Amino acid sequence: MSAVALPGGISIGAPRRRRTLRELISWAFGEATVVTNKGKAMFADRLRTSPGTFTTSPKFLAMGVGATGAARTAAAGDTALSTEVETRTTGTESTTTTTNTNDTYQVTGSITATAARKVDEAGCFDASSAGNLAFSATHEVDNLASADTITYTWKIKQA
Amino acid sequence: MRVVVHHPERVEQIESRAGEHLEETIPASVSAYRFGRIEDFVNLDGSTTPKEEVAKILLEQAKEDFPGLEVSIEYLHESEHDAEGEVIGHEWRDHPPEQPVAEGEAHAVELSAEQAQEASA
């Protein structure tokens, strides 16, 4: 139960709200960045002269706030974020060099928070909504205030 | 930030009467205490007293007005929302929240992964 507010705003008694176990425990989760199974299929398909399935690159960047609550660590089997927030942004693509010349696919883009967000997950999709999740990440919580902007730079290197 | 007068005898009544008009359960002397959410105070000379200072003044005032009752400062942390996103309550705690980043601040996250390639003939 929340504190009781009287007319005029003062709280009397302020009974403590009973909290659920989930609220009391900070669920641990892992930080990881992976190429998903869909992403691997995407690489193969898009090498072809005419891709059969994945006709759009995974340049749509998404972020989410649900990985910690879901105790989720990014894994190859991911197909969506736990709790995606905000509108995906269309990233800027390029190839960059990590080890060998142009061996890294890079996509970067910014997303602006429309409310305070505890961002802890991100992904690259091949569509501005729904679509296939090619790369998935769970990362340390980044606390965004409303109007803050987060810029993601994804680098997928061919090993 | 707010000053809270803790009145343990009244807590039971408040909890048991949730949803009713709470004014009926509160002594007039207490309900007259109307500090609410504390903000910076603009003085007559145009200067500003920070809300932290205002809270200290109100805290001391409350201790004098309600001898024997626990009086404390609480800080607003998060608002609670229902499924539709409507604010239904606030989370107040006895310590300040972590200093939030300034609005409009830029954050950056770099994520790297390797796509392993295997060839066979």
Side-chain angles (χ1 to χ4, degrees):
Chain A
M1 182 177 178
S2 300
V4 176
L6 293 173
I10 190 68
S11 290
I12 306 298
R16 301 293 180 190
R17 185 170 66 90
R18 292 186 177 85
R19 314 193 76 186
T20 64
L21 190 60
R22 179 170 289 279
E23 289 176 302
L24 293 171
I25 296 175
S26 179
W27 291 94
F29 77 105
E31 296 174 25
T33 304
V34 300
V35 178
T36 66
N37 294 334
K38 286 283 188 183
K40 294 170 185 173
M42 198 174 292
F43 270 99
D45 190 42
R46 290 183 62 81
L47 274 180
R48 301 196 292 169
T49 303
S50 300
T53 304
F54 302 102
T55 54
T56 304
S57 69
K59 61 183 178 183
F60 299 95
L61 310 188
M63 71 179 189
V65 297
T68 304
R72 184 180 71 85
T73 299
D78 289 349
T79 57
L81 303 186
S82 295
T83 307
E84 187 175 333
V85 293
E86 307 300 352
T87 303
R88 294 175 190 171
T89 190
T90 304
T92 301
E93 300 172 288
S94 62
T95 54
T96 62
T97 300
T98 302
T99 304
N100 300 307
T101 303
N102 292 333
D103 61 354
T104 300
Y105 169 77
Q106 178 173 300
V107 57
T108 184
S110 299
I111 302 172
T112 300
T114 58
R117 305 287 193 197
K118 296 180 177 179
V119 181
D120 58 6
E121 56 183 344
C124 290
F125 291 81
D126 63 355
S128 58
S129 62
N132 299 293
L133 176 62
F135 318 129
S136 177
T138 47
H139 58 77
E140 185 179 354
V141 173
D142 195 343
N143 287 300
L144 302 185
S146 180
D148 277 5
T149 297
I150 188 166
T151 299
Y152 280 105
T153 301
W154 288 82
K155 293 183 176 182
I156 310 300
K157 181 198 172 217
Q158 306 306 303
Chain B
M1 181 181 277
R2 65 183 184 182
V3 172
V4 178
V5 179
H6 299 272
H7 197 303
E9 291 178 13
R10 295 291 171 187
V11 172
E12 273 190 40
Q13 283 184 284
I14 291 170
E15 287 185 330
S16 66
R17 292 187 175 204
E20 297 183 24
H21 287 291
L22 298 173
E23 296 93 318
E24 298 172 5
T25 72
I26 308 300
S29 60
V30 177
S31 61
Y33 219 71
R34 299 168 184 269
F35 290 148
R37 190 179 300 184
I38 298 167
E39 303 293 349
D40 293 348
F41 187 82
V42 180
N43 301 295
L44 288 176
D45 63 1
S47 63
T48 300
T49 302
K51 60 186 177 185
E52 290 79 8
E53 291 300 316
V54 176
K56 287 179 185 175
I57 294 168
L58 293 178
L59 185 68
E60 292 308 311
Q61 182 77 44
K63 286 178 180 174
E64 289 182 14
D65 289 352
F66 303 101
L69 292 185
E70 181 189 351
V71 180
S72 66
I73 294 175
E74 291 189 344
Y75 300 83
L76 180 62
H77 279 239
E78 289 185 351
S79 298
E80 297 173 335
H81 300 80
D82 61 14
E84 282 73 44
E86 294 293 321
V87 176
I88 57 173
H90 299 289
E91 177 81 8
W92 295 87
R93 300 182 191 173
D94 59 4
H95 59 87
E98 292 177 22
Q99 194 68 28
V101 294
E103 281 200 0
E105 187 171 314
H107 299 238
V109 175
E110 186 166 314
L111 301 165
S112 300
E114 284 194 348
Q115 162 71 359
Q117 308 288 353
E118 287 184 12
S120 58

mmCIF file of all heavy atoms in Angstrom, chain A residues 78-127:
data_model
loop_
_atom_site.group_PDB
_atom_site.id
_atom_site.type_symbol
_atom_site.label_atom_id
_atom_site.label_comp_id
_atom_site.label_asym_id
_atom_site.label_seq_id
_atom_site.Cartn_x
_atom_site.Cartn_y
_atom_site.Cartn_z
ATOM 1 N N ASP A 78 17.363 -16.376 -29.345
ATOM 2 C CA ASP A 78 16.482 -15.213 -29.150
ATOM 3 C C ASP A 78 15.762 -14.844 -30.452
ATOM 4 O O ASP A 78 16.360 -14.864 -31.539
ATOM 5 C CB ASP A 78 17.301 -13.992 -28.698
ATOM 6 C CG ASP A 78 17.817 -14.133 -27.272
ATOM 7 O OD1 ASP A 78 17.380 -15.061 -26.582
ATOM 8 O OD2 ASP A 78 18.661 -13.310 -26.881
ATOM 9 N N THR A 79 14.501 -14.497 -30.310
ATOM 10 C CA THR A 79 13.735 -14.023 -31.462
ATOM 11 C C THR A 79 13.122 -12.651 -31.208
ATOM 12 O O THR A 79 12.551 -12.049 -32.112
ATOM 13 C CB THR A 79 12.605 -15.010 -31.810
ATOM 14 O OG1 THR A 79 11.773 -15.175 -30.659
ATOM 15 C CG2 THR A 79 13.170 -16.357 -32.229
ATOM 16 N N ALA A 80 13.215 -12.189 -29.975
ATOM 17 C CA ALA A 80 12.654 -10.880 -29.626
ATOM 18 C C ALA A 80 13.305 -10.410 -28.338
ATOM 19 O O ALA A 80 13.945 -11.198 -27.626
ATOM 20 C CB ALA A 80 11.143 -10.973 -29.439
ATOM 21 N N LEU A 81 13.140 -9.127 -28.037
ATOM 22 C CA LEU A 81 13.588 -8.615 -26.751
ATOM 23 C C LEU A 81 12.524 -8.939 -25.705
ATOM 24 O O LEU A 81 11.370 -9.211 -26.037
ATOM 25 C CB LEU A 81 13.800 -7.103 -26.828
ATOM 26 C CG LEU A 81 14.781 -6.603 -27.897
ATOM 27 C CD1 LEU A 81 15.005 -5.096 -27.747
ATOM 28 C CD2 LEU A 81 16.109 -7.342 -27.812
ATOM 29 N N SER A 82 12.912 -8.914 -24.451
ATOM 30 C CA SER A 82 11.946 -9.224 -23.395
ATOM 31 C C SER A 82 10.878 -8.152 -23.311
ATOM 32 O O SER A 82 9.685 -8.441 -23.290
ATOM 33 C CB SER A 82 12.670 -9.353 -22.046
ATOM 34 O OG SER A 82 13.547 -10.459 -22.062
ATOM 35 N N THR A 83 11.295 -6.894 -23.253
ATOM 36 C CA THR A 83 10.340 -5.779 -23.213
ATOM 37 C C THR A 83 10.901 -4.647 -24.060
ATOM 38 O O THR A 83 11.661 -3.805 -23.589
ATOM 39 C CB THR A 83 10.127 -5.279 -21.768
ATOM 40 O OG1 THR A 83 9.786 -6.378 -20.931
ATOM 41 C CG2 THR A 83 8.998 -4.253 -21.724
ATOM 42 N N GLU A 84 10.541 -4.678 -25.318
ATOM 43 C CA GLU A 84 11.046 -3.633 -26.213
ATOM 44 C C GLU A 84 10.320 -2.315 -25.940
ATOM 45 O O GLU A 84 9.106 -2.308 -25.692
ATOM 46 C CB GLU A 84 10.840 -4.060 -27.669
ATOM 47 C CG GLU A 84 11.486 -3.121 -28.677
ATOM 48 C CD GLU A 84 11.374 -3.650 -30.104
ATOM 49 O OE1 GLU A 84 11.290 -4.876 -30.300
ATOM 50 O OE2 GLU A 84 11.380 -2.811 -31.027
ATOM 51 N N VAL A 85 11.074 -1.216 -25.966
ATOM 52 C CA VAL A 85 10.470 0.106 -25.768
ATOM 53 C C VAL A 85 10.959 1.042 -26.874
ATOM 54 O O VAL A 85 11.990 0.805 -27.489
ATOM 55 C CB VAL A 85 10.835 0.713 -24.391
ATOM 56 C CG1 VAL A 85 10.208 -0.087 -23.270
ATOM 57 C CG2 VAL A 85 12.333 0.817 -24.216
ATOM 58 N N GLU A 86 10.203 2.081 -27.085
ATOM 59 C CA GLU A 86 10.490 3.118 -28.077
ATOM 60 C C GLU A 86 10.418 2.546 -29.503
ATOM 61 O O GLU A 86 10.328 1.349 -29.705
ATOM 62 C CB GLU A 86 11.865 3.763 -27.837
ATOM 63 C CG GLU A 86 12.080 4.286 -26.433
ATOM 64 C CD GLU A 86 11.066 5.359 -26.012
ATOM 65 O OE1 GLU A 86 10.293 5.806 -26.863
ATOM 66 O OE2 GLU A 86 11.033 5.711 -24.838
ATOM 67 N N THR A 87 10.443 3.457 -30.452
ATOM 68 C CA THR A 87 10.381 3.080 -31.860
ATOM 69 C C THR A 87 11.778 2.723 -32.346
ATOM 70 O O THR A 87 12.756 3.380 -31.993
ATOM 71 C CB THR A 87 9.833 4.261 -32.694
ATOM 72 O OG1 THR A 87 8.548 4.617 -32.177
ATOM 73 C CG2 THR A 87 9.716 3.891 -34.160
ATOM 74 N N ARG A 88 11.849 1.679 -33.124
ATOM 75 C CA ARG A 88 13.159 1.299 -33.672
ATOM 76 C C ARG A 88 13.686 2.416 -34.576
ATOM 77 O O ARG A 88 12.920 3.121 -35.217
ATOM 78 C CB ARG A 88 13.049 -0.001 -34.480
ATOM 79 C CG ARG A 88 12.695 -1.205 -33.624
ATOM 80 C CD ARG A 88 12.479 -2.446 -34.488
ATOM 81 N NE ARG A 88 11.908 -3.527 -33.689
ATOM 82 C CZ ARG A 88 11.451 -4.671 -34.182
ATOM 83 N NH1 ARG A 88 11.507 -4.889 -35.497
ATOM 84 N NH2 ARG A 88 10.949 -5.591 -33.372
ATOM 85 N N THR A 89 14.988 2.503 -34.596
ATOM 86 C CA THR A 89 15.591 3.493 -35.472
ATOM 87 C C THR A 89 16.301 2.775 -36.612
ATOM 88 O O THR A 89 16.770 1.638 -36.460
ATOM 89 C CB THR A 89 16.589 4.379 -34.698
ATOM 90 O OG1 THR A 89 16.983 5.464 -35.524
ATOM 91 C CG2 THR A 89 17.824 3.604 -34.285
ATOM 92 N N THR A 90 16.344 3.431 -37.748
ATOM 93 C CA THR A 90 17.058 2.862 -38.894
ATOM 94 C C THR A 90 18.523 3.255 -38.792
ATOM 95 O O THR A 90 18.873 4.437 -38.847
ATOM 96 C CB THR A 90 16.474 3.390 -40.219
ATOM 97 O OG1 THR A 90 15.072 3.106 -40.248
ATOM 98 C CG2 THR A 90 17.152 2.718 -41.403
ATOM 99 N N GLY A 91 19.361 2.275 -38.607
ATOM 100 C CA GLY A 91 20.775 2.544 -38.399
ATOM 101 C C GLY A 91 21.518 2.863 -39.682
ATOM 102 O O GLY A 91 21.027 2.651 -40.791
ATOM 103 N N THR A 92 22.705 3.385 -39.492
ATOM 104 C CA THR A 92 23.604 3.662 -40.616
ATOM 105 C C THR A 92 24.603 2.525 -40.716
ATOM 106 O O THR A 92 25.308 2.210 -39.747
ATOM 107 C CB THR A 92 24.353 4.986 -40.389
ATOM 108 O OG1 THR A 92 23.399 6.033 -40.263
ATOM 109 C CG2 THR A 92 25.295 5.287 -41.549
ATOM 110 N N GLU A 93 24.664 1.907 -41.891
ATOM 111 C CA GLU A 93 25.488 0.710 -42.063
ATOM 112 C C GLU A 93 26.834 1.038 -42.710
ATOM 113 O O GLU A 93 26.954 1.980 -43.493
ATOM 114 C CB GLU A 93 24.752 -0.300 -42.952
ATOM 115 C CG GLU A 93 23.423 -0.753 -42.404
ATOM 116 C CD GLU A 93 22.675 -1.601 -43.416
ATOM 117 O OE1 GLU A 93 22.196 -1.034 -44.419
ATOM 118 O OE2 GLU A 93 22.581 -2.814 -43.208
ATOM 119 N N SER A 94 27.792 0.206 -42.377
ATOM 120 C CA SER A 94 29.104 0.323 -43.020
ATOM 121 C C SER A 94 29.869 -0.969 -42.768
ATOM 122 O O SER A 94 29.435 -1.820 -41.987
ATOM 123 C CB SER A 94 29.891 1.511 -42.454
ATOM 124 O OG SER A 94 30.126 1.329 -41.070
ATOM 125 N N THR A 95 30.992 -1.100 -43.434
ATOM 126 C CA THR A 95 31.926 -2.162 -43.089
ATOM 127 C C THR A 95 33.172 -1.501 -42.519
ATOM 128 O O THR A 95 33.612 -0.454 -42.999
ATOM 129 C CB THR A 95 32.294 -3.035 -44.305
ATOM 130 O OG1 THR A 95 32.767 -2.182 -45.348
ATOM 131 C CG2 THR A 95 31.094 -3.818 -44.795
ATOM 132 N N THR A 96 33.687 -2.107 -41.505
ATOM 133 C CA THR A 96 34.889 -1.565 -40.862
ATOM 134 C C THR A 96 35.903 -2.695 -40.680
ATOM 135 O O THR A 96 35.587 -3.873 -40.898
ATOM 136 C CB THR A 96 34.570 -0.943 -39.493
ATOM 137 O OG1 THR A 96 34.062 -1.967 -38.632
ATOM 138 C CG2 THR A 96 33.536 0.158 -39.614
ATOM 139 N N THR A 97 37.070 -2.311 -40.307
ATOM 140 C CA THR A 97 38.143 -3.289 -40.165
ATOM 141 C C THR A 97 38.433 -3.574 -38.700
ATOM 142 O O THR A 97 38.714 -2.649 -37.928
ATOM 143 C CB THR A 97 39.420 -2.776 -40.844
ATOM 144 O OG1 THR A 97 39.151 -2.559 -42.232
ATOM 145 C CG2 THR A 97 40.562 -3.768 -40.680
ATOM 146 N N THR A 98 38.332 -4.845 -38.320
ATOM 147 C CA THR A 98 38.739 -5.243 -36.977
ATOM 148 C C THR A 98 40.071 -5.973 -37.054
ATOM 149 O O THR A 98 41.054 -5.575 -36.434
ATOM 150 C CB THR A 98 37.687 -6.147 -36.319
ATOM 151 O OG1 THR A 98 36.436 -5.448 -36.268
ATOM 152 C CG2 THR A 98 38.105 -6.532 -34.903
ATOM 153 N N THR A 99 40.133 -7.033 -37.851
ATOM 154 C CA THR A 99 41.377 -7.794 -38.027
ATOM 155 C C THR A 99 41.822 -7.738 -39.484
ATOM 156 O O THR A 99 42.931 -7.329 -39.801
ATOM 157 C CB THR A 99 41.184 -9.257 -37.597
ATOM 158 O OG1 THR A 99 40.712 -9.282 -36.254
ATOM 159 C CG2 THR A 99 42.507 -10.018 -37.684
ATOM 160 N N ASN A 100 40.913 -8.162 -40.344
ATOM 161 C CA ASN A 100 41.189 -8.089 -41.774
ATOM 162 C C ASN A 100 40.350 -6.959 -42.380
ATOM 163 O O ASN A 100 39.304 -6.594 -41.839
ATOM 164 C CB ASN A 100 40.841 -9.422 -42.446
ATOM 165 C CG ASN A 100 41.658 -10.566 -41.874
ATOM 166 O OD1 ASN A 100 42.889 -10.509 -41.822
ATOM 167 N ND2 ASN A 100 40.977 -11.606 -41.396
ATOM 168 N N THR A 101 40.815 -6.466 -43.487
ATOM 169 C CA THR A 101 40.145 -5.308 -44.090
ATOM 170 C C THR A 101 38.654 -5.563 -44.289
ATOM 171 O O THR A 101 38.260 -6.569 -44.885
ATOM 172 C CB THR A 101 40.809 -4.967 -45.446
ATOM 173 O OG1 THR A 101 42.187 -4.726 -45.217
ATOM 174 C CG2 THR A 101 40.162 -3.738 -46.063
ATOM 175 N N ASN A 102 37.875 -4.669 -43.767
ATOM 176 C CA ASN A 102 36.415 -4.714 -43.929
ATOM 177 C C ASN A 102 35.796 -6.041 -43.506
ATOM 178 O O ASN A 102 34.885 -6.552 -44.150
ATOM 179 C CB ASN A 102 36.034 -4.392 -45.385
ATOM 180 C CG ASN A 102 36.339 -2.958 -45.733
ATOM 181 O OD1 ASN A 102 36.347 -2.085 -44.854
ATOM 182 N ND2 ASN A 102 36.620 -2.691 -46.999
ATOM 183 N N ASP A 103 36.282 -6.580 -42.407
ATOM 184 C CA ASP A 103 35.753 -7.862 -41.940
ATOM 185 C C ASP A 103 34.604 -7.704 -40.941
ATOM 186 O O ASP A 103 34.118 -8.680 -40.372
ATOM 187 C CB ASP A 103 36.868 -8.696 -41.297
ATOM 188 C CG ASP A 103 37.479 -8.006 -40.076
ATOM 189 O OD1 ASP A 103 37.110 -6.852 -39.800
ATOM 190 O OD2 ASP A 103 38.323 -8.635 -39.411
ATOM 191 N N THR A 104 34.159 -6.457 -40.754
ATOM 192 C CA THR A 104 33.158 -6.219 -39.710
ATOM 193 C C THR A 104 31.975 -5.444 -40.262
ATOM 194 O O THR A 104 32.147 -4.402 -40.906
ATOM 195 C CB THR A 104 33.783 -5.428 -38.540
ATOM 196 O OG1 THR A 104 34.857 -6.200 -38.001
ATOM 197 C CG2 THR A 104 32.767 -5.137 -37.454
ATOM 198 N N TYR A 105 30.808 -5.990 -40.034
ATOM 199 C CA TYR A 105 29.568 -5.273 -40.374
ATOM 200 C C TYR A 105 29.248 -4.357 -39.209
ATOM 201 O O TYR A 105 29.169 -4.801 -38.063
ATOM 202 C CB TYR A 105 28.422 -6.262 -40.604
ATOM 203 C CG TYR A 105 27.052 -5.622 -40.703
ATOM 204 C CD1 TYR A 105 26.643 -4.960 -41.855
ATOM 205 C CD2 TYR A 105 26.155 -5.683 -39.635
ATOM 206 C CE1 TYR A 105 25.386 -4.380 -41.944
ATOM 207 C CE2 TYR A 105 24.898 -5.104 -39.720
ATOM 208 C CZ TYR A 105 24.514 -4.449 -40.872
ATOM 209 O OH TYR A 105 23.266 -3.866 -40.957
ATOM 210 N N GLN A 106 29.073 -3.088 -39.491
ATOM 211 C CA GLN A 106 28.763 -2.131 -38.425
ATOM 212 C C GLN A 106 27.460 -1.423 -38.741
ATOM 213 O O GLN A 106 27.208 -1.030 -39.879
ATOM 214 C CB GLN A 106 29.892 -1.096 -38.277
ATOM 215 C CG GLN A 106 29.607 -0.042 -37.207
ATOM 216 C CD GLN A 106 30.808 0.867 -36.965
ATOM 217 O OE1 GLN A 106 31.880 0.411 -36.590
ATOM 218 N NE2 GLN A 106 30.619 2.157 -37.184
ATOM 219 N N VAL A 107 26.646 -1.270 -37.720
ATOM 220 C CA VAL A 107 25.424 -0.477 -37.870
ATOM 221 C C VAL A 107 25.271 0.336 -36.596
ATOM 222 O O VAL A 107 25.431 -0.172 -35.489
ATOM 223 C CB VAL A 107 24.195 -1.378 -38.146
ATOM 224 C CG1 VAL A 107 23.984 -2.417 -37.054
ATOM 225 C CG2 VAL A 107 22.939 -0.531 -38.323
ATOM 226 N N THR A 108 24.996 1.596 -36.797
ATOM 227 C CA THR A 108 24.899 2.493 -35.647
ATOM 228 C C THR A 108 23.684 3.397 -35.787
ATOM 229 O O THR A 108 23.301 3.786 -36.895
ATOM 230 C CB THR A 108 26.191 3.339 -35.495
ATOM 231 O OG1 THR A 108 26.103 4.136 -34.316
ATOM 232 C CG2 THR A 108 26.402 4.247 -36.691
ATOM 233 N N GLY A 109 23.074 3.689 -34.667
ATOM 234 C CA GLY A 109 21.889 4.546 -34.680
ATOM 235 C C GLY A 109 21.519 4.964 -33.280
ATOM 236 O O GLY A 109 21.983 4.382 -32.290
ATOM 237 N N SER A 110 20.715 5.999 -33.186
ATOM 238 C CA SER A 110 20.338 6.568 -31.889
ATOM 239 C C SER A 110 18.842 6.435 -31.645
ATOM 240 O O SER A 110 18.039 6.571 -32.568
ATOM 241 C CB SER A 110 20.734 8.047 -31.829
ATOM 242 O OG SER A 110 22.125 8.179 -31.978
ATOM 243 N N ILE A 111 18.516 6.185 -30.405
ATOM 244 C CA ILE A 111 17.120 6.087 -29.981
ATOM 245 C C ILE A 111 16.933 7.049 -28.809
ATOM 246 O O ILE A 111 17.763 7.084 -27.897
ATOM 247 C CB ILE A 111 16.763 4.651 -29.537
ATOM 248 C CG1 ILE A 111 17.024 3.674 -30.673
ATOM 249 C CG2 ILE A 111 15.303 4.575 -29.072
ATOM 250 C CD1 ILE A 111 16.890 2.218 -30.271
ATOM 251 N N THR A 112 15.866 7.817 -28.848
ATOM 252 C CA THR A 112 15.583 8.781 -27.782
ATOM 253 C C THR A 112 14.499 8.235 -26.865
ATOM 254 O O THR A 112 13.471 7.732 -27.329
ATOM 255 C CB THR A 112 15.131 10.128 -28.369
ATOM 256 O OG1 THR A 112 16.182 10.638 -29.196
ATOM 257 C CG2 THR A 112 14.826 11.136 -27.269
ATOM 258 N N ALA A 113 14.746 8.340 -25.575
ATOM 259 C CA ALA A 113 13.773 7.856 -24.590
ATOM 260 C C ALA A 113 12.653 8.879 -24.430
ATOM 261 O O ALA A 113 12.912 10.072 -24.289
ATOM 262 C CB ALA A 113 14.459 7.622 -23.254
ATOM 263 N N THR A 114 11.421 8.404 -24.456
ATOM 264 C CA THR A 114 10.275 9.298 -24.245
ATOM 265 C C THR A 114 9.841 9.291 -22.786
ATOM 266 O O THR A 114 8.897 9.979 -22.409
ATOM 267 C CB THR A 114 9.093 8.876 -25.127
ATOM 268 O OG1 THR A 114 8.751 7.523 -24.817
ATOM 269 C CG2 THR A 114 9.444 8.980 -26.599
ATOM 270 N N ALA A 115 10.536 8.496 -21.965
ATOM 271 C CA ALA A 115 10.278 8.441 -20.527
ATOM 272 C C ALA A 115 11.543 7.881 -19.893
ATOM 273 O O ALA A 115 12.448 7.447 -20.609
ATOM 274 C CB ALA A 115 9.082 7.536 -20.227
ATOM 275 N N ALA A 116 11.627 7.938 -18.590
ATOM 276 C CA ALA A 116 12.778 7.339 -17.916
ATOM 277 C C ALA A 116 12.814 5.853 -18.232
ATOM 278 O O ALA A 116 11.793 5.169 -18.144
ATOM 279 C CB ALA A 116 12.683 7.564 -16.421
ATOM 280 N N ARG A 117 13.948 5.367 -18.642
ATOM 281 C CA ARG A 117 14.076 3.958 -19.050
ATOM 282 C C ARG A 117 15.322 3.346 -18.427
ATOM 283 O O ARG A 117 16.388 3.973 -18.429
ATOM 284 C CB ARG A 117 14.216 3.842 -20.573
ATOM 285 C CG ARG A 117 13.123 4.499 -21.389
ATOM 286 C CD ARG A 117 11.844 3.722 -21.325
ATOM 287 N NE ARG A 117 10.906 4.178 -22.339
ATOM 288 C CZ ARG A 117 9.604 3.893 -22.304
ATOM 289 N NH1 ARG A 117 9.106 3.150 -21.337
ATOM 290 N NH2 ARG A 117 8.804 4.336 -23.241
ATOM 291 N N LYS A 118 15.186 2.126 -17.944
ATOM 292 C CA LYS A 118 16.334 1.366 -17.472
ATOM 293 C C LYS A 118 16.667 0.354 -18.556
ATOM 294 O O LYS A 118 16.234 -0.787 -18.515
ATOM 295 C CB LYS A 118 16.008 0.677 -16.144
ATOM 296 C CG LYS A 118 15.739 1.677 -15.027
ATOM 297 C CD LYS A 118 15.420 0.986 -13.720
ATOM 298 C CE LYS A 118 15.238 2.030 -12.630
ATOM 299 N NZ LYS A 118 14.899 1.426 -11.320
ATOM 300 N N VAL A 119 17.450 0.795 -19.494
ATOM 301 C CA VAL A 119 17.695 -0.012 -20.689
ATOM 302 C C VAL A 119 18.703 -1.118 -20.372
ATOM 303 O O VAL A 119 19.776 -0.851 -19.808
ATOM 304 C CB VAL A 119 18.229 0.872 -21.831
ATOM 305 C CG1 VAL A 119 18.473 0.046 -23.078
ATOM 306 C CG2 VAL A 119 17.252 1.998 -22.116
ATOM 307 N N ASP A 120 18.351 -2.340 -20.712
ATOM 308 C CA ASP A 120 19.260 -3.446 -20.422
ATOM 309 C C ASP A 120 19.303 -4.482 -21.551
ATOM 310 O O ASP A 120 19.862 -5.562 -21.376
ATOM 311 C CB ASP A 120 18.887 -4.129 -19.096
ATOM 312 C CG ASP A 120 17.468 -4.668 -19.079
ATOM 313 O OD1 ASP A 120 16.796 -4.627 -20.139
ATOM 314 O OD2 ASP A 120 17.024 -5.124 -18.012
ATOM 315 N N GLU A 121 18.719 -4.175 -22.695
ATOM 316 C CA GLU A 121 18.739 -5.129 -23.800
ATOM 317 C C GLU A 121 18.621 -4.360 -25.114
ATOM 318 O O GLU A 121 18.106 -3.243 -25.148
ATOM 319 C CB GLU A 121 17.599 -6.143 -23.663
ATOM 320 C CG GLU A 121 16.230 -5.487 -23.557
ATOM 321 C CD GLU A 121 15.098 -6.490 -23.357
ATOM 322 O OE1 GLU A 121 15.312 -7.689 -23.604
ATOM 323 O OE2 GLU A 121 13.997 -6.055 -22.974
ATOM 324 N N ALA A 122 19.125 -4.970 -26.155
ATOM 325 C CA ALA A 122 19.094 -4.330 -27.469
ATOM 326 C C ALA A 122 19.090 -5.406 -28.541
ATOM 327 O O ALA A 122 19.440 -6.569 -28.286
ATOM 328 C CB ALA A 122 20.298 -3.409 -27.631
ATOM 329 N N GLY A 123 18.691 -4.996 -29.727
ATOM 330 C CA GLY A 123 18.668 -5.956 -30.823
ATOM 331 C C GLY A 123 18.661 -5.262 -32.164
ATOM 332 O O GLY A 123 18.362 -4.074 -32.276
ATOM 333 N N CYS A 124 19.042 -6.026 -33.200
ATOM 334 C CA CYS A 124 18.976 -5.552 -34.580
ATOM 335 C C CYS A 124 17.991 -6.431 -35.342
ATOM 336 O O CYS A 124 18.134 -7.666 -35.359
ATOM 337 C CB CYS A 124 20.353 -5.650 -35.254
ATOM 338 S SG CYS A 124 21.553 -4.483 -34.632
ATOM 339 N N PHE A 125 17.021 -5.806 -35.951
ATOM 340 C CA PHE A 125 15.988 -6.514 -36.694
ATOM 341 C C PHE A 125 16.074 -6.138 -38.179
ATOM 342 O O PHE A 125 16.692 -5.128 -38.540
ATOM 343 C CB PHE A 125 14.606 -6.137 -36.169
ATOM 344 C CG PHE A 125 14.295 -6.636 -34.779
ATOM 345 C CD1 PHE A 125 14.761 -5.948 -33.668
ATOM 346 C CD2 PHE A 125 13.540 -7.789 -34.587
ATOM 347 C CE1 PHE A 125 14.463 -6.393 -32.381
ATOM 348 C CE2 PHE A 125 13.247 -8.240 -33.309
ATOM 349 C CZ PHE A 125 13.712 -7.540 -32.198
ATOM 350 N N ASP A 126 15.395 -6.938 -38.982
ATOM 351 C CA ASP A 126 15.376 -6.633 -40.415
ATOM 352 C C ASP A 126 14.087 -5.936 -40.824
ATOM 353 O O ASP A 126 13.727 -5.926 -42.001
ATOM 354 C CB ASP A 126 15.603 -7.913 -41.242
ATOM 355 C CG ASP A 126 14.490 -8.943 -41.045
ATOM 356 O OD1 ASP A 126 13.599 -8.711 -40.204
ATOM 357 O OD2 ASP A 126 14.527 -9.980 -41.734
ATOM 358 N N ALA A 127 13.399 -5.363 -39.846
ATOM 359 C CA ALA A 127 12.177 -4.610 -40.136
ATOM 360 C C ALA A 127 11.984 -3.571 -39.036
ATOM 361 O O ALA A 127 12.495 -3.713 -37.928
ATOM 362 C CB ALA A 127 10.969 -5.538 -40.213
#
